[in-house]
Each structure stands twice: as structure tokens, then as C-alpha cells.
Amino acid sequence: MRQENIRLPQDVIWLLQTLHTAGYSAYVVGGCVRDSLLGRQPGDWDICTSARPAQMRQLFADKQLILAGEKHGTVGVVLHGKPYEITTYRLDGAYRDHRHPDQVRFVQDLAADLARRDFTINAMAYAPGEGIIDLYGGRKDLAAGIIRCVGNPTARFAEDALRILRALRFAARLGFVLEPATAQAAAAARDTLQSVSAERIYGELDGLLTVPGAGKVLAQYGEILAGAVPEVAPCMGCTQPGRWHCYDVWQHTAAAVAALDLRGQDTRGARILCWATFLHDIAKPICRSVGPDGAAHFKGHNQRGAVLARIILRRLKAPSYLIEGVTGLVAIHDAPLPTGDGAILKCLNRYGAVFLRRLCALKYADLDAHARTPEVASRRQDVTDFETRMAVLAKTGCYTMRQLAVNGADLMEAGLPAGPAVGHTLHGLLGAVMEGRVPNERAALLEEMHRMMQQP
């Protein structure tokens, strides 16, 4: 960890100094302190203070203010286009809905404010000249790589069930583990996640799945995660045939998430792949059968998995692009890839190069979470061969009507009557080009058109 003299942005220094000059205590607090101590660049700088909201409004009256959170003690001050949240020291009242306090009470004591926070690593404050205020062992837990609740973990999760997923997200993001009592309390309280809004659950799961440490967290804490996605539970202990697999369905899923290579993917593609890998085998438990040889089979798990993935993502109110992208990949993730240029071009025509690159990434992650056998190595080589040739054909081949050397106007000028026949003929010409029967040249295509016109 880095030294405790945290470098603050000039705007943050000005806000602290303004509050201090007016007679109020003030500190940066929470995640910005944690990330600074870890040598990470904080995304936000939150401030806590003894000043009440009305006093902050008066003190920063000449600045643009955001007052949406004023009832809970938060005033946003916008400096140079960036908002900074300043919150009055407070105590939270009872949590009857496992999410929001019924009321908050403003206090003058920083220690009381830190005591209400979720985890020790988020319960530290800092001010220039005073250094780190660490009342609950946050620095020690940072050094040890531990996520630990402040105070009683059962009480912390009873107050706000979303903290259960926040614990997993922080563990994945930071490469940490849950302290045993915190993990035990999270598992015991997992069903209270059903009282949390779908949007908030989706946000935490998305933050968990899209960081490099996701696979390890899934492997360790599947029981906890099942509180948010109940379909996870049957995957744990669902055995698979040893000829191909070395894990049960859930540990295979976790290993695939860990193996996923997102290089070359844009932000949207990376998110689709993370979720698709998480859900690719989600239907295996409901498709499982045992053959005469005693081996497990999962017939139809691709298609049923796509249906189940759609149900889960809709329940979580995920964005439409994610739902469609994930279900499309899950539906064919275990299907064999085509060979030969004609078949690959038809695949490009149906799915597009972007989708197929994502499919290859998912297949690699899936296969890398299998047993290390010659059969698996052969399947992986099939993916490599397909991806290599597909990349070439995506740049040089003709697989869309726009790439044909003729268009509808050309066909009509050459004698084809206007109407539906134009589109049908273009489609037929494209098929002939993809199959290698006709070169993508104007003269050859028009000759093929006339041949097609002569057919019954």
C-alpha cells in the first residue's frame, strides 16, 4: 500500500478548506481513501462534514448545487463541471425494507458516521494535517486483502441487503476474500436480496462480472450469489462426464469466467461476453440425463439456456442489447463451427463478424474450463482454425448483398422485371458467390441472372 499522505485534487482541497474556514470539520471519506491507499486513482471524491445541508447551501450559494439528496444530508457542489458530494455526519435509523433507512439523524461526530458504513476498507477518512482516521482496522484489512463488515455483519446485511453483493463485487474488483464471519452472515442473509430492486441487483452483478477477479469470486461464493440469481444453486454439484470435464457445472462456469479473454472487444462486446459466459450453461441442471453408460448428457442445453438467460436478464431489467447479445451466444455456444469457405461465408452472412468473434471468445473460455484432454485440445484447434479463416473472409469475401458487384438497378437494366424477383435474384446470386459457383464479377453475375431467368 502507498503512503498515507493522500494527494487530493485542488477542487477537493478548496472544498475542505472552505468548510474548515467556516468552522466545520470535513474529511474525504470512503472509496477515495481506500483506492488512494491501494495506489489506484479514485473515480469520485466524497466528503463528509459536520456542516448541515442548510449551512452547506449557504456556504456554497455561488456554486451550482445538486440537492436531490439533501433530505439524507447530501449536497452536491459542481466545480469545473465535476460534481462533489458532501454529506453531513449522520446515523441511520431502522431498515425495515433491507435497503433504505426509515430516517437519518444528523450528528456532529465523525466516529458515529464511520460506524454506520458497510466495510472496514470503506470506513476510513482523511484530511490534510490529520492523516488517516481509521477506527475499524481498514488499513489492516487492505493489507491482508480482506472484506470485513464494520461491527456485526449480520446487522450490516440486515440493514441493507445489497451490501451482500457489494461485498462480492469489492472482492472481485480488488482480488480480496470475505472475512469468515462476513461470508457466513452473507450466506445466511442471501434470500433478503429478493427485496432489493432488480436494477440495483443488476448493477452490482454487472460490476462483479466485468472485472478480472470475477471467476475466483464465483468459485468461492456461489452459495451467496444464488440469493440474487436462484438458478445458480442447481448448478452447484451438478456433475459432468469426466471424458470432457473436470468440474461440476458451477465450478466450470467460474473457471470459464476466469479464463475469458476480452482483448479486442469494445465495452459493449466485453459486457455481453461476461454475462454470456456466466449464463452459458445455466440450463444444464434442467437438461441433465444419464445414458446407459452412466455418463451425464445435457441435450438441448444451448437452446433452453438461451431461454433461461433471457428470463433471468429480463427479470434483472438488463438493457435490451445485452439480452439479445447474450441469448444469441448462449443459443449456439456449444454447436460445431462450420468448415470450408462457403459454409463460413454463410455463417458470416447470418451472424456477422462481430458476433462470430464474440462466439469464438466464448468458446475458448468454455473449452479452457474443460479437462485437459486431446479431445478438448482438438475442439479448441477447430475454433482457432475457424476464427483465423473467418477473419480473412470477413475482409476479403463477399457475404452480404451490398458486397455484390451488381445491385437491383443493374439487374433491371439487364432485363429483369421490377418487383420481388429482384430481391430473390440478388439473394440467389449471393448464395452462388458464397458457394464459389460464380465469381463476384459484374459480367459473371449478369450471366448467372439470365441463366436463373430461364429456369422454371
Side-chain angles (χ1 to χ4, degrees), residues 437-454:
R437 293 186 286 110
V438 177
N440 187 25
E441 299 170 358
R442 177 183 171 84
L445 291 170
L446 292 178
E447 181 180 345
E448 176 67 11
M449 179 202 76
H450 287 298
R451 189 192 68 79
M452 293 170 65
M453 289 173 64
Q454 293 171 3

Side-chain angles (χ1 to χ4, degrees), residues 2-6 27-28 33-34 36-37 110 114 123-135 138-139:
R2 302 295 179 88
Q3 62 181 355
E4 295 180 0
N5 184 25
I6 294 175
Y27 301 84
V28 291
V33 179
R34 176 199 68 229
S36 295
L37 291 175
L110 171 66
L114 296 178
M124 294 180 285
Y126 171 83
E130 294 186 56
I132 303 292
I133 310 299
D134 178 17
L135 306 179
R139 285 173 294 185

Side-chain angles (χ1 to χ4, degrees), residues 144-396:
I146 289 173
I147 306 295
R148 183 196 309 270
C149 283
V150 174
N152 185 316
T154 300
R156 293 290 81 78
F157 293 135
E159 291 167 351
D160 184 353
L162 194 63
R163 287 172 174 167
I164 297 168
L165 292 183
R166 281 171 57 82
L168 299 185
R169 176 168 63 82
F170 281 125
R173 179 188 167 202
L174 301 175
F176 286 14
V177 297
L178 272 59
E179 176 265 336
T182 297
Q184 184 177 0
R190 69 177 188 175
D191 290 341
T192 61
L193 282 166
Q194 297 304 311
S195 65
V196 178
S197 72
E199 295 89 346
R200 298 304 297 271
I201 290 177
Y202 167 76
E204 291 296 333
L205 288 175
D206 189 65
L208 161 61
L209 292 172
T210 53
V211 296
K216 182 178 179 181
V217 167
L218 265 57
Q220 290 178 294
Y221 304 114
E223 180 185 1
I224 298 173
L225 193 66
V229 184
E231 292 84 356
V232 162
C235 296
M236 292 183 282
C238 183
T239 58
Q240 305 188 88
R243 178 187 174 192
W244 298 101
H245 289 278
C246 53
Y247 301 113
D248 69 13
V249 172
W250 179 245
Q251 291 301 321
H252 162 76
T253 297
V257 169
L260 182 61
D261 185 351
L262 297 174
R263 287 178 296 180
Q265 301 291 333
D266 60 16
T267 300
R268 181 170 285 199
R271 175 165 282 107
I272 288 171
L273 272 170
C274 289
W275 279 91
T277 309
F278 171 53
L279 296 172
H280 78 283
D281 278 350
I282 198 69
K284 272 192 170 180
I286 61 177
C287 294
R288 190 177 189 274
S289 63
V290 179
D293 58 355
H297 301 276
F298 304 96
K299 186 177 180 180
H301 82 277
N302 279 4
Q303 294 74 23
R304 294 186 72 178
V307 173
L308 192 53
R310 184 179 295 275
I311 291 170
I312 292 168
L313 291 170
R314 281 181 172 174
R315 186 176 70 221
L316 294 174
K317 299 186 178 179
S320 296
Y321 83 84
L322 184 67
I323 296 174
E324 299 308 317
V326 168
T327 55
L329 288 171
V330 172
I332 62 170
H333 79 272
D334 202 36
L337 292 167
T339 58
D341 286 2
I344 295 174
L345 284 168
K346 288 182 178 179
C347 199
L348 279 164
N349 171 260
R350 180 174 181 180
Y351 296 109
V354 172
F355 177 92
L356 293 177
R357 283 194 292 270
R358 292 172 185 167
L359 178 63
C360 290
L362 174 56
K363 280 181 169 288
Y364 284 134
D366 187 6
L367 290 167
D368 288 346
H370 279 60
R372 296 289 189 266
T373 66
E375 294 91 344
V376 173
S378 177
R379 282 193 179 183
R380 200 182 195 286
Q381 185 60 47
D382 290 343
V383 180
T384 300
D385 293 344
F386 169 83
E387 183 181 37
T388 301
R389 188 58 184 159
M390 184 270 293
V392 173
L393 292 174
K395 293 180 179 179
T396 64

Side-chain angles (χ1 to χ4, degrees), residues 32 69 84 101:
C32 60
Y84 296 89

